[in-house]
Amino acid sequence: MRNCFKSSHDALPMTVAERIVRPDIDEYFMMMAVLVASRSTCTRRKVGAVIVKDKRVLSTGYNGPPRGMAHCDVTGCLREQLNVPSGERHELCRGLHAEQNAVIQAAVFGTSIDGATIYVTNHPCSVCAKIIINAGIKEIVYDEYYHDELAEEILAEAGIKVRQFKAPEWKAFEKYLNGLHGF
């Protein structure tokens, strides 16, 4: 892997866009997923998803409550209030997952995602895995691992290609998006 940022030590001041080296296709779509995740108002975990086919973005989604409802950063986290451990009782949450919102967004606009790839910042849970399978998505590229054995089993059984994105050098981009201007 290569560093996605050019050195600015021997150059005139550059904009962030000028400092970014052209990313490969996985880096490009995963950076989009990270940017999409920045819209999340979840107080536990920010997740973003980008659904792609033929190198074209079809839909995006981030985790959060249904449209028109108060956000969790306003109401507080129901799961935290009820002491629900991560990975359990998914129905006890005001929000939808990023993958769910991306699939719903495609449906709302009549966009077929059959045969697509989904780039997501976290490995899907079992609920999202089932939605991904039925939506006809054929590949999942995720950044951070989320332990859910059932999700792994059903994705394997369905023949969905699942691979972890590995590019630690571009974490600087994520820090930039989170306001930690580390360069």
Side-chain angles (χ1 to χ4, degrees), residues 1-2 4 21-29 31 165 167:
M1 285 292 170
R2 60 187 161 59
C4 289
V21 175
R22 185 174 194 245
D24 69 28
I25 204 68
D26 280 347
E27 290 168 335
Y28 178 65
F29 291 124
M31 284 193 285
F165 175 73

Side-chain angles (χ1 to χ4, degrees), residues 97-176:
H97 290 187
E99 303 94 322
Q100 294 167 354
N101 273 325
V103 170
I104 291 167
Q105 188 74 6
V108 165
F109 289 101
T111 303
S112 173
I113 55 176
D114 189 42
T117 297
I118 187 167
Y119 287 82
V120 62
T121 56
N122 292 82
H123 188 286
C125 69
S126 59
V127 173
C128 290
K130 292 181 273 187
I131 291 169
I132 287 168
I133 292 165
N134 276 1
I137 293 172
K138 300 298 180 200
E139 182 178 18
I140 299 167
V141 182
Y142 70 94
D143 184 25
E144 295 180 25
Y145 181 71
Y146 175 81
H147 181 76
D148 188 326
E149 287 181 31
L150 180 58
E152 292 175 30
E153 290 171 17
I154 63 176
L155 289 167
E157 182 180 337
I160 305 297
K161 182 178 180 182
V162 180
R163 60 189 172 91
Q164 186 169 17
F165 175 73
K166 298 275 187 182
E169 292 83 2
W170 74 266
K171 288 295 182 181
F173 179 78
E174 192 170 2
K175 288 180 183 177
Y176 170 77

Side-chain angles (χ1 to χ4, degrees), residues 32-96:
M32 283 187 188
V34 170
L35 182 61
V36 170
S38 72
R39 292 282 303 147
S40 172
T41 58
C42 179
T43 59
R44 281 186 140 183
R45 176 179 291 142
K46 294 183 181 300
V47 181
V50 177
I51 300 176
V52 176
K53 188 171 183 180
D54 299 326
K55 299 182 182 179
R56 302 288 184 255
V57 174
L58 301 177
S59 183
T60 66
Y62 53 88
N63 57 326
R67 63 178 161 187
M69 293 181 62
H71 292 278
C72 299
D73 60 355
V74 174
T75 65
C77 178
L78 178 62
R79 295 176 61 79
E80 285 180 4
Q81 294 164 8
L82 297 174
N83 293 317
V84 178
S86 179
E88 296 179 15
R89 306 287 314 269
H90 294 179
E91 75 279 8
L92 295 177
C93 180
R94 291 176 51 83
L96 290 96

Side-chain angles (χ1 to χ4, degrees), residues 3-15 18-21 183:
N3 188 338
C4 289
F5 289 89
K6 298 175 185 173
S7 172
S8 63
H9 298 339
D10 53 6
L12 295 173
M14 294 186 284
T15 67
E18 291 171 328
R19 293 181 64 194
I20 297 174
V21 175
F183 46 86

